[in-house]
Amino acid sequence: MVHWHTNGWGMPVDELPTGTVTFLFTDLERSTRRWEEDPDAMRRALARHDEALAGVIGLHDGYLVKSTGDGVMAAFAIAAEAVEAAIDGQRAIDQLLVDGDTPLRVRMGLHTGTPEVRGADYFGPTVNRAARLMGVAHGGQVVTSQTTANLAGPALDASVALVDLGEHRLRDLTEPEHVFEVRAPGLRAKFPPLSSMDAFPGNLPLQVSTYVARDQLQQRVTQALTQARVVTLTGVGGVGKTRLALQVAADLQPTFREGAWIVELAPVRDPERVWDAVASVFRLRAAGGPTVEDDVVEFLRTRQLLMVMDNCEHLVDACAEVVEVLERQCPELVVLATSREGLGVDGEQDLVVPTLAGPEDSTDLGLVATSEAVTLLVDRARRVDPDFVVDADNATAIVELCRRLDGMPLAIELAAAQLVMMTPSELVRRLDHRFEVLTQTRRRSEERHQTLRAVIDWSYALCTPTEQRLLARLAVFAGGWSLESAEAVGADDPTAAGEVFPALRSLVAKSLVIAEHGTTGTRYRLLECIREYAEERLAELGETDSRRRVHAEQFVAFEMAAFTDMCGPLQIEAGQRLIAERENLLAAVSFAIDAGDVDLALRVVAAASDWVGSQATEARVPAGLVLDLEGATDHHLYPWCLALAAQQAVQTGDEEQATRLSTEAHAAIGRLGDPGRNAEQVLVSSEAVMAYARGDTHAGADWMYRGSELARDRGDVVNRADALAGAASFHAMHGETATAISLATEAVDIAEEHGLPRSLALATSALAGALTDDDPARARQLLTSPAMDVARDVLQGAMTTQLVIMTAKLGDWPELLERARPAMKLVHWVPTWPLVSVLHTLIARAIADTDPETAARLRGAARTAFLTKLTPGSERRQETSTSDAPPVRRTDIVTIRRRETAAILEEALGRERVRELQSEGAALGRDEAVAYTLGVIDEVSARS
């Protein structure tokens, strides 16, 4: 029997499951387009869809809570029944057609928890997580949370498998979710990667608190972004501009080819460094233009992305100049800015962010509890008091509290933190005096800013002198900090080291500091308006310069400690810690530059880059910032910083700049020396990468081996193992298998002997690549070995392409397509066009047997990518090329597969048709070709 509730489906309210409940959310994929194309057929199909789902939900003792448009929400008392219902539902829907031949595809998500029940419906985090899980799935796919998988797994039939898809960030949720895919007979088993935030390019931060839905406002912002390429969210500090912008950006991220990115301007103090802030986000390092502005414009000129420029108010004129240039020269770039005033650029659309709406009165508890302001208050209050609820006793005081706080999100959060120690009525009385004073001066547009400041003043006044001083000193951090850093920066006369932790703990409890738990442990941060407030207090104490210096010295010591850990089993963790502190490293360099302290500046840069590894790309500080400081050319670290600047130029594909800096570095070594041979190590690595980019894998191997010998002489086991692995990879690509196996085996031995997990992953990958020709079974075994578990974190750029090349050697085309998608995104974003060309070529081979026309287009795209002008002077080499082979002769698998593809296509299509299709592919723009290729991969994966 099917159970229905009274809100649209007729089910009695008292039959809703309570306690631990498993929710099933479903949604029809691509329903909007189908409704537009044939609404009558869609209406009939959806009716059959509803009937099928209602039947299987009832058969498994589920409760059909409500329709959600083109899907349903159901609740189950038993997790295993929910999973079985989803399986049966997919089987039933798979038989349904929209217009006679188009199957319906429904995505499903399940999560278990303890929801809130209001009337005939459910609310709360459990429901939200179930809906978000459904949102990342694809049509025909069923995914569950780890909670549901743990509960349901033991009770499921042996034919049902729960496949671990790893952790994923879900929009609007504070913690990532471990996702499992349900596989069973009759269900599709191959899908593209989940559409989680991790699947799309961008740097949007994981939100640490639940977001109070402001649906109408979000829709207004989204609509504005379709009408204007520059939209600015304006409003007073603390009104929620940044959170709204991040929410909209997260929702729109999948619709932009290059994703959504945030430029955090709060740490920037100099208007002339706004361009540097933008360049830093996209990791642009002296890409060859006369100015940073030219480099940024060139990089973004053909990219389709959403850029959030956050906290522009103190740099309005400079931000306006940047946006005007980008708007004029980057036609597919969309800017969403936040500021207390508009930027004033042509075509800009300003949207004022209002405060949270509150209830008009307290008589209807349902309306009170569901209003925006009260929802936020209750959510934050439950952090300190899990039992806090809105009831008849406190509803009037809660309504008054939200009204007196003007619905200001930050003010509400600060007030909510006090509800652990007083009732809402008592809190209202505590606010009375200060708010009466502000009411007497409410004659200007800044009245709410004054109200917010009064709340911060009041919260600050509740702190002890030790807490107040610590809060002021924490203002020197950028982007967050660890407890150890807080103790180093916060301790000093009159605050003892032992007083920092309890004071910090108290500041967190009072919501003046936010604690976040992540992969690098607990980190802390300040909301921007509180940081500005604390910065003013620090200036009043006269400690701004002294604390910034302590901060900079602390991070030099931090970097050195991280480097020590890189030489042992904590390689991965050390790299993650360095990446997490990048904003602080940049702040340390900025202080040293501002202070004219060349010694400190060079020490920060050198220490931040004191190791070689793919993770370092994200952590390194731009070395070019310090090269022109007075006295730099005579400093003993100058050769090292020059070498690092050369290496960073290589990473951006600027060979000419890299060559110039390398020459200067060698001259500086001759003049000042290189005691630890650090600069020489970096220069050798750069030469290897440049050779590889030119297609000369044999020269790349020679340079890498030279680097391994240099590391051996230095006693540097990390760089020795990594360089040997790199040399092995290049030898394998060049067809020198025996040498490759020998070097890779040596690298594996070193990594295992010294317990280096990152190096072991690199070495294992290299060994697998060397073995693919002679021992493919062992190569496959190595690729799935425990050593490769960390590969997702440490193998980037060229190494991800190497994994694709290995699968090409093995002829495993489905596996190649799966590996090619993330590899293409990485090398396209850098960009490294020779590697993009390699991937186009191998993907073409993977589909040549089944889709020769598309494969021919990809061959054309491959040639265009390879002949892309990367750096001044590269065109001289490329102009002499008369075939689609690289100018340096290669004997690797790429050439072999390219020739195979050509033969297959000519036999299937004929030479003339192949040329026509290749011309079509060659005519695609660089980014357009990459987007086309990624679409091909998704389509093939969906079909299979």
Side-chain angles (χ1 to χ4, degrees), residues 425-460:
S425 297
E426 292 170 335
L427 184 55
V428 169
R429 289 195 295 271
R430 292 292 299 269
L431 290 174
D432 279 351
H433 177 69
R434 291 181 181 272
F435 275 50
E436 288 172 357
V437 172
L438 287 175
T439 299
Q440 295 171 4
T441 61
R442 287 186 176 180
R443 297 189 182 95
R444 300 186 300 169
S445 61
E446 296 179 342
E447 60 187 46
R448 285 188 174 144
H449 175 68
Q450 295 176 28
T451 300
L452 176 62
R453 187 173 183 85
V455 172
I456 302 176
D457 274 332
W458 170 67
S459 298
Y460 184 79

mmCIF file of all heavy atoms in Angstrom, residues 425-460:
data_model
loop_
_atom_site.group_PDB
_atom_site.id
_atom_site.type_symbol
_atom_site.label_atom_id
_atom_site.label_comp_id
_atom_site.label_asym_id
_atom_site.label_seq_id
_atom_site.Cartn_x
_atom_site.Cartn_y
_atom_site.Cartn_z
ATOM 1 N N SER A 425 15.245 37.099 26.212
ATOM 2 C CA SER A 425 14.753 38.301 26.888
ATOM 3 C C SER A 425 15.875 39.041 27.588
ATOM 4 O O SER A 425 15.968 40.277 27.523
ATOM 5 C CB SER A 425 13.666 37.924 27.905
ATOM 6 O OG SER A 425 12.548 37.360 27.260
ATOM 7 N N GLU A 426 16.743 38.316 28.272
ATOM 8 C CA GLU A 426 17.874 38.946 28.948
ATOM 9 C C GLU A 426 18.821 39.592 27.943
ATOM 10 O O GLU A 426 19.378 40.674 28.178
ATOM 11 C CB GLU A 426 18.622 37.906 29.785
ATOM 12 C CG GLU A 426 17.815 37.397 30.978
ATOM 13 C CD GLU A 426 18.461 36.207 31.649
ATOM 14 O OE1 GLU A 426 19.235 35.488 30.953
ATOM 15 O OE2 GLU A 426 18.220 35.971 32.839
ATOM 16 N N LEU A 427 19.009 38.931 26.809
ATOM 17 C CA LEU A 427 19.881 39.474 25.780
ATOM 18 C C LEU A 427 19.323 40.775 25.213
ATOM 19 O O LEU A 427 20.069 41.734 24.987
ATOM 20 C CB LEU A 427 20.081 38.437 24.663
ATOM 21 C CG LEU A 427 21.054 38.791 23.541
ATOM 22 C CD1 LEU A 427 22.417 39.148 24.086
ATOM 23 C CD2 LEU A 427 21.169 37.623 22.570
ATOM 24 N N VAL A 428 18.014 40.818 25.004
ATOM 25 C CA VAL A 428 17.389 42.044 24.519
ATOM 26 C C VAL A 428 17.631 43.185 25.500
ATOM 27 O O VAL A 428 17.958 44.315 25.101
ATOM 28 C CB VAL A 428 15.877 41.839 24.276
ATOM 29 C CG1 VAL A 428 15.184 43.181 24.036
ATOM 30 C CG2 VAL A 428 15.650 40.909 23.096
ATOM 31 N N ARG A 429 17.497 42.905 26.771
ATOM 32 C CA ARG A 429 17.713 43.952 27.779
ATOM 33 C C ARG A 429 19.165 44.420 27.791
ATOM 34 O O ARG A 429 19.446 45.592 28.002
ATOM 35 C CB ARG A 429 17.296 43.447 29.161
ATOM 36 C CG ARG A 429 15.791 43.292 29.328
ATOM 37 C CD ARG A 429 15.409 43.152 30.789
ATOM 38 N NE ARG A 429 15.935 41.940 31.387
ATOM 39 C CZ ARG A 429 15.294 40.769 31.385
ATOM 40 N NH1 ARG A 429 14.108 40.666 30.783
ATOM 41 N NH2 ARG A 429 15.824 39.718 31.977
ATOM 42 N N ARG A 430 20.106 43.514 27.556
ATOM 43 C CA ARG A 430 21.514 43.904 27.538
ATOM 44 C C ARG A 430 21.819 44.814 26.349
ATOM 45 O O ARG A 430 22.716 45.641 26.402
ATOM 46 C CB ARG A 430 22.401 42.657 27.466
ATOM 47 C CG ARG A 430 22.376 41.791 28.716
ATOM 48 C CD ARG A 430 23.037 42.496 29.898
ATOM 49 N NE ARG A 430 24.431 42.800 29.644
ATOM 50 C CZ ARG A 430 25.444 41.978 29.946
ATOM 51 N NH1 ARG A 430 25.203 40.816 30.511
ATOM 52 N NH2 ARG A 430 26.681 42.326 29.695
ATOM 53 N N LEU A 431 21.068 44.641 25.278
ATOM 54 C CA LEU A 431 21.287 45.462 24.095
ATOM 55 C C LEU A 431 20.617 46.824 24.185
ATOM 56 O O LEU A 431 20.963 47.732 23.429
ATOM 57 C CB LEU A 431 20.762 44.740 22.841
ATOM 58 C CG LEU A 431 21.531 43.510 22.353
ATOM 59 C CD1 LEU A 431 20.788 42.856 21.208
ATOM 60 C CD2 LEU A 431 22.943 43.885 21.923
ATOM 61 N N ASP A 432 19.668 46.964 25.077
ATOM 62 C CA ASP A 432 18.829 48.162 25.104
ATOM 63 C C ASP A 432 19.619 49.456 25.168
ATOM 64 O O ASP A 432 19.378 50.381 24.393
ATOM 65 C CB ASP A 432 17.851 48.105 26.286
ATOM 66 C CG ASP A 432 16.641 47.241 25.961
ATOM 67 O OD1 ASP A 432 16.491 46.850 24.784
ATOM 68 O OD2 ASP A 432 15.865 46.950 26.889
ATOM 69 N N HIS A 433 20.519 49.558 26.099
ATOM 70 C CA HIS A 433 21.199 50.828 26.318
ATOM 71 C C HIS A 433 21.969 51.290 25.071
ATOM 72 O O HIS A 433 21.835 52.432 24.629
ATOM 73 C CB HIS A 433 22.146 50.719 27.515
ATOM 74 C CG HIS A 433 22.926 51.965 27.758
ATOM 75 N ND1 HIS A 433 22.342 53.126 28.207
ATOM 76 C CD2 HIS A 433 24.250 52.236 27.577
ATOM 77 C CE1 HIS A 433 23.272 54.061 28.295
ATOM 78 N NE2 HIS A 433 24.443 53.539 27.926
ATOM 79 N N ARG A 434 22.777 50.421 24.514
ATOM 80 C CA ARG A 434 23.586 50.804 23.369
ATOM 81 C C ARG A 434 22.705 51.130 22.166
ATOM 82 O O ARG A 434 22.995 52.062 21.413
ATOM 83 C CB ARG A 434 24.578 49.684 23.013
ATOM 84 C CG ARG A 434 25.660 49.508 24.068
ATOM 85 C CD ARG A 434 26.629 48.413 23.663
ATOM 86 N NE ARG A 434 27.650 48.239 24.685
ATOM 87 C CZ ARG A 434 28.785 48.911 24.744
ATOM 88 N NH1 ARG A 434 29.050 49.820 23.840
ATOM 89 N NH2 ARG A 434 29.652 48.698 25.704
ATOM 90 N N PHE A 435 21.654 50.383 21.968
ATOM 91 C CA PHE A 435 20.817 50.649 20.787
ATOM 92 C C PHE A 435 20.023 51.934 20.954
ATOM 93 O O PHE A 435 19.713 52.604 19.971
ATOM 94 C CB PHE A 435 19.906 49.454 20.536
ATOM 95 C CG PHE A 435 20.569 48.372 19.727
ATOM 96 C CD1 PHE A 435 21.832 47.893 20.078
ATOM 97 C CD2 PHE A 435 19.958 47.836 18.624
ATOM 98 C CE1 PHE A 435 22.461 46.914 19.343
ATOM 99 C CE2 PHE A 435 20.576 46.848 17.874
ATOM 100 C CZ PHE A 435 21.826 46.388 18.236
ATOM 101 N N GLU A 436 19.677 52.306 22.155
ATOM 102 C CA GLU A 436 18.997 53.584 22.367
ATOM 103 C C GLU A 436 19.917 54.745 22.004
ATOM 104 O O GLU A 436 19.488 55.733 21.407
ATOM 105 C CB GLU A 436 18.544 53.702 23.822
ATOM 106 C CG GLU A 436 17.367 52.795 24.155
ATOM 107 C CD GLU A 436 17.056 52.791 25.637
ATOM 108 O OE1 GLU A 436 17.796 53.453 26.408
ATOM 109 O OE2 GLU A 436 16.094 52.113 26.013
ATOM 110 N N VAL A 437 21.201 54.611 22.326
ATOM 111 C CA VAL A 437 22.166 55.659 21.969
ATOM 112 C C VAL A 437 22.266 55.783 20.458
ATOM 113 O O VAL A 437 22.244 56.895 19.899
ATOM 114 C CB VAL A 437 23.546 55.357 22.576
ATOM 115 C CG1 VAL A 437 24.598 56.320 22.042
ATOM 116 C CG2 VAL A 437 23.466 55.419 24.090
ATOM 117 N N LEU A 438 22.354 54.660 19.755
ATOM 118 C CA LEU A 438 22.458 54.704 18.301
ATOM 119 C C LEU A 438 21.180 55.241 17.671
ATOM 120 O O LEU A 438 21.238 55.910 16.647
ATOM 121 C CB LEU A 438 22.753 53.292 17.764
ATOM 122 C CG LEU A 438 24.182 52.767 18.016
ATOM 123 C CD1 LEU A 438 24.288 51.338 17.558
ATOM 124 C CD2 LEU A 438 25.201 53.637 17.309
ATOM 125 N N THR A 439 20.042 54.932 18.236
ATOM 126 C CA THR A 439 18.782 55.436 17.690
ATOM 127 C C THR A 439 18.771 56.955 17.683
ATOM 128 O O THR A 439 18.261 57.590 16.770
ATOM 129 C CB THR A 439 17.595 54.911 18.520
ATOM 130 O OG1 THR A 439 17.590 53.488 18.453
ATOM 131 C CG2 THR A 439 16.289 55.443 17.984
ATOM 132 N N GLN A 440 19.383 57.594 18.681
ATOM 133 C CA GLN A 440 19.396 59.059 18.756
ATOM 134 C C GLN A 440 20.234 59.684 17.654
ATOM 135 O O GLN A 440 20.059 60.860 17.355
ATOM 136 C CB GLN A 440 19.937 59.500 20.126
ATOM 137 C CG GLN A 440 19.050 59.089 21.282
ATOM 138 C CD GLN A 440 19.728 59.339 22.620
ATOM 139 O OE1 GLN A 440 20.822 59.881 22.673
ATOM 140 N NE2 GLN A 440 19.076 58.939 23.701
ATOM 141 N N THR A 441 21.139 58.920 17.029
ATOM 142 C CA THR A 441 22.008 59.492 15.999
ATOM 143 C C THR A 441 21.712 58.926 14.616
ATOM 144 O O THR A 441 22.499 59.103 13.699
ATOM 145 C CB THR A 441 23.485 59.206 16.336
ATOM 146 O OG1 THR A 441 23.683 57.787 16.360
ATOM 147 C CG2 THR A 441 23.862 59.799 17.672
ATOM 148 N N ARG A 442 20.583 58.263 14.445
ATOM 149 C CA ARG A 442 20.268 57.645 13.163
ATOM 150 C C ARG A 442 19.760 58.676 12.159
ATOM 151 O O ARG A 442 18.580 58.749 11.869
ATOM 152 C CB ARG A 442 19.237 56.538 13.346
ATOM 153 C CG ARG A 442 19.820 55.294 14.003
ATOM 154 C CD ARG A 442 18.805 54.176 14.030
ATOM 155 N NE ARG A 442 19.383 52.970 14.574
ATOM 156 C CZ ARG A 442 18.727 51.822 14.717
ATOM 157 N NH1 ARG A 442 17.484 51.738 14.364
ATOM 158 N NH2 ARG A 442 19.317 50.771 15.225
ATOM 159 N N ARG A 443 20.674 59.484 11.655
ATOM 160 C CA ARG A 443 20.297 60.493 10.674
ATOM 161 C C ARG A 443 21.081 60.318 9.373
ATOM 162 O O ARG A 443 20.853 61.050 8.433
ATOM 163 C CB ARG A 443 20.572 61.901 11.235
ATOM 164 C CG ARG A 443 19.740 62.224 12.475
ATOM 165 C CD ARG A 443 19.902 63.684 12.846
ATOM 166 N NE ARG A 443 19.131 63.974 14.053
ATOM 167 C CZ ARG A 443 19.629 63.961 15.269
ATOM 168 N NH1 ARG A 443 20.898 63.651 15.445
ATOM 169 N NH2 ARG A 443 18.883 64.243 16.308
ATOM 170 N N ARG A 444 22.027 59.343 9.362
ATOM 171 C CA ARG A 444 22.859 59.177 8.186
ATOM 172 C C ARG A 444 22.660 57.783 7.597
ATOM 173 O O ARG A 444 22.072 56.903 8.207
ATOM 174 C CB ARG A 444 24.339 59.368 8.544
ATOM 175 C CG ARG A 444 24.644 60.749 9.108
ATOM 176 C CD ARG A 444 26.135 60.920 9.297
ATOM 177 N NE ARG A 444 26.670 59.913 10.226
ATOM 178 C CZ ARG A 444 27.964 59.704 10.409
ATOM 179 N NH1 ARG A 444 28.835 60.390 9.721
ATOM 180 N NH2 ARG A 444 28.370 58.795 11.270
ATOM 181 N N SER A 445 23.177 57.605 6.379
ATOM 182 C CA SER A 445 23.011 56.321 5.677
ATOM 183 C C SER A 445 23.801 55.203 6.322
ATOM 184 O O SER A 445 23.610 54.051 5.976
ATOM 185 C CB SER A 445 23.456 56.459 4.219
ATOM 186 O OG SER A 445 24.818 56.821 4.150
ATOM 187 N N GLU A 446 24.707 55.534 7.244
ATOM 188 C CA GLU A 446 25.565 54.513 7.854
ATOM 189 C C GLU A 446 25.004 53.974 9.165
ATOM 190 O O GLU A 446 25.720 53.387 9.957
ATOM 191 C CB GLU A 446 26.958 55.103 8.130
ATOM 192 C CG GLU A 446 27.702 55.515 6.870
ATOM 193 C CD GLU A 446 29.036 56.111 7.211
ATOM 194 O OE1 GLU A 446 29.222 56.505 8.380
ATOM 195 O OE2 GLU A 446 29.898 56.180 6.333
ATOM 196 N N GLU A 447 23.693 54.179 9.402
ATOM 197 C CA GLU A 447 23.155 53.805 10.708
ATOM 198 C C GLU A 447 23.329 52.327 11.007
ATOM 199 O O GLU A 447 23.627 51.955 12.149
ATOM 200 C CB GLU A 447 21.673 54.176 10.791
ATOM 201 C CG GLU A 447 20.806 53.479 9.743
ATOM 202 C CD GLU A 447 19.377 54.009 9.746
ATOM 203 O OE1 GLU A 447 19.202 55.229 9.775
ATOM 204 O OE2 GLU A 447 18.467 53.193 9.731
ATOM 205 N N ARG A 448 23.174 51.496 9.992
ATOM 206 C CA ARG A 448 23.312 50.068 10.274
ATOM 207 C C ARG A 448 24.762 49.697 10.503
ATOM 208 O O ARG A 448 25.075 48.787 11.247
ATOM 209 C CB ARG A 448 22.717 49.248 9.127
ATOM 210 C CG ARG A 448 21.196 49.284 9.195
ATOM 211 C CD ARG A 448 20.561 48.358 8.223
ATOM 212 N NE ARG A 448 19.119 48.344 8.430
ATOM 213 C CZ ARG A 448 18.235 48.246 7.460
ATOM 214 N NH1 ARG A 448 18.631 48.208 6.215
ATOM 215 N NH2 ARG A 448 16.945 48.216 7.728
ATOM 216 N N HIS A 449 25.657 50.386 9.820
ATOM 217 C CA HIS A 449 27.076 50.171 10.105
ATOM 218 C C HIS A 449 27.379 50.548 11.549
ATOM 219 O O HIS A 449 28.119 49.853 12.247
ATOM 220 C CB HIS A 449 27.926 51.008 9.148
ATOM 221 C CG HIS A 449 29.387 50.924 9.449
ATOM 222 N ND1 HIS A 449 30.113 49.773 9.266
ATOM 223 C CD2 HIS A 449 30.249 51.841 9.942
ATOM 224 C CE1 HIS A 449 31.370 49.973 9.620
ATOM 225 N NE2 HIS A 449 31.479 51.224 10.031
ATOM 226 N N GLN A 450 26.764 51.628 12.036
ATOM 227 C CA GLN A 450 26.950 52.014 13.434
ATOM 228 C C GLN A 450 26.379 50.946 14.357
ATOM 229 O O GLN A 450 26.954 50.607 15.381
ATOM 230 C CB GLN A 450 26.270 53.365 13.694
ATOM 231 C CG GLN A 450 26.892 54.533 12.922
ATOM 232 C CD GLN A 450 26.121 55.809 13.139
ATOM 233 O OE1 GLN A 450 25.486 55.984 14.176
ATOM 234 N NE2 GLN A 450 26.165 56.688 12.160
ATOM 235 N N THR A 451 25.229 50.381 13.966
ATOM 236 C CA THR A 451 24.642 49.321 14.781
ATOM 237 C C THR A 451 25.565 48.115 14.842
ATOM 238 O O THR A 451 25.810 47.547 15.909
ATOM 239 C CB THR A 451 23.289 48.896 14.187
ATOM 240 O OG1 THR A 451 22.422 50.024 14.168
ATOM 241 C CG2 THR A 451 22.664 47.789 14.998
ATOM 242 N N LEU A 452 26.106 47.749 13.713
ATOM 243 C CA LEU A 452 27.020 46.619 13.673
ATOM 244 C C LEU A 452 28.253 46.898 14.523
ATOM 245 O O LEU A 452 28.700 46.048 15.294
ATOM 246 C CB LEU A 452 27.428 46.337 12.230
ATOM 247 C CG LEU A 452 28.474 45.234 12.023
ATOM 248 C CD1 LEU A 452 27.954 43.900 12.514
ATOM 249 C CD2 LEU A 452 28.856 45.154 10.554
ATOM 250 N N ARG A 453 28.791 48.085 14.393
ATOM 251 C CA ARG A 453 29.965 48.409 15.187
ATOM 252 C C ARG A 453 29.645 48.385 16.675
ATOM 253 O O ARG A 453 30.478 47.973 17.487
ATOM 254 C CB ARG A 453 30.504 49.786 14.789
ATOM 255 C CG ARG A 453 31.835 50.091 15.483
ATOM 256 C CD ARG A 453 32.449 51.369 14.954
ATOM 257 N NE ARG A 453 33.742 51.576 15.575
ATOM 258 C CZ ARG A 453 34.876 51.039 15.153
ATOM 259 N NH1 ARG A 453 34.861 50.277 14.073
ATOM 260 N NH2 ARG A 453 36.019 51.257 15.770
ATOM 261 N N ALA A 454 28.432 48.811 17.014
ATOM 262 C CA ALA A 454 28.041 48.768 18.422
ATOM 263 C C ALA A 454 28.021 47.333 18.937
ATOM 264 O O ALA A 454 28.442 47.060 20.064
ATOM 265 C CB ALA A 454 26.666 49.414 18.600
ATOM 266 N N VAL A 455 27.546 46.401 18.083
ATOM 267 C CA VAL A 455 27.524 44.999 18.495
ATOM 268 C C VAL A 455 28.949 44.481 18.676
ATOM 269 O O VAL A 455 29.257 43.765 19.634
ATOM 270 C CB VAL A 455 26.751 44.158 17.457
ATOM 271 C CG1 VAL A 455 26.877 42.672 17.767
ATOM 272 C CG2 VAL A 455 25.291 44.570 17.440
ATOM 273 N N ILE A 456 29.855 44.860 17.741
ATOM 274 C CA ILE A 456 31.243 44.423 17.878
ATOM 275 C C ILE A 456 31.884 45.063 19.107
ATOM 276 O O ILE A 456 32.609 44.412 19.864
ATOM 277 C CB ILE A 456 32.045 44.753 16.603
ATOM 278 C CG1 ILE A 456 31.412 44.083 15.385
ATOM 279 C CG2 ILE A 456 33.490 44.296 16.760
ATOM 280 C CD1 ILE A 456 32.084 44.427 14.076
ATOM 281 N N ASP A 457 31.611 46.357 19.302
ATOM 282 C CA ASP A 457 32.120 47.033 20.505
ATOM 283 C C ASP A 457 31.656 46.299 21.756
ATOM 284 O O ASP A 457 32.435 46.079 22.697
ATOM 285 C CB ASP A 457 31.599 48.475 20.562
ATOM 286 C CG ASP A 457 32.481 49.433 19.774
ATOM 287 O OD1 ASP A 457 33.689 49.166 19.652
ATOM 288 O OD2 ASP A 457 31.956 50.436 19.282
ATOM 289 N N TRP A 458 30.394 45.964 21.733
ATOM 290 C CA TRP A 458 29.816 45.300 22.908
ATOM 291 C C TRP A 458 30.461 43.933 23.128
ATOM 292 O O TRP A 458 30.834 43.565 24.243
ATOM 293 C CB TRP A 458 28.304 45.173 22.702
ATOM 294 C CG TRP A 458 27.619 44.304 23.711
ATOM 295 C CD1 TRP A 458 27.462 44.548 25.035
ATOM 296 C CD2 TRP A 458 27.004 43.044 23.460
ATOM 297 N NE1 TRP A 458 26.775 43.527 25.641
ATOM 298 C CE2 TRP A 458 26.482 42.587 24.684
ATOM 299 C CE3 TRP A 458 26.831 42.256 22.326
ATOM 300 C CZ2 TRP A 458 25.804 41.389 24.798
ATOM 301 C CZ3 TRP A 458 26.152 41.066 22.435
ATOM 302 C CH2 TRP A 458 25.651 40.637 23.679
ATOM 303 N N SER A 459 30.625 43.150 22.037
ATOM 304 C CA SER A 459 31.265 41.840 22.159
ATOM 305 C C SER A 459 32.703 41.993 22.626
ATOM 306 O O SER A 459 33.194 41.201 23.439
ATOM 307 C CB SER A 459 31.226 41.107 20.811
ATOM 308 O OG SER A 459 29.899 40.871 20.415
ATOM 309 N N TYR A 460 33.374 42.996 22.106
ATOM 310 C CA TYR A 460 34.758 43.250 22.496
ATOM 311 C C TYR A 460 34.843 43.604 23.979
ATOM 312 O O TYR A 460 35.759 43.178 24.688
ATOM 313 C CB TYR A 460 35.316 44.389 21.640
ATOM 314 C CG TYR A 460 36.773 44.703 21.857
ATOM 315 C CD1 TYR A 460 37.764 43.930 21.288
ATOM 316 C CD2 TYR A 460 37.154 45.808 22.621
ATOM 317 C CE1 TYR A 460 39.109 44.236 21.473
ATOM 318 C CE2 TYR A 460 38.487 46.122 22.808
ATOM 319 C CZ TYR A 460 39.468 45.326 22.233
ATOM 320 O OH TYR A 460 40.786 45.633 22.423
#
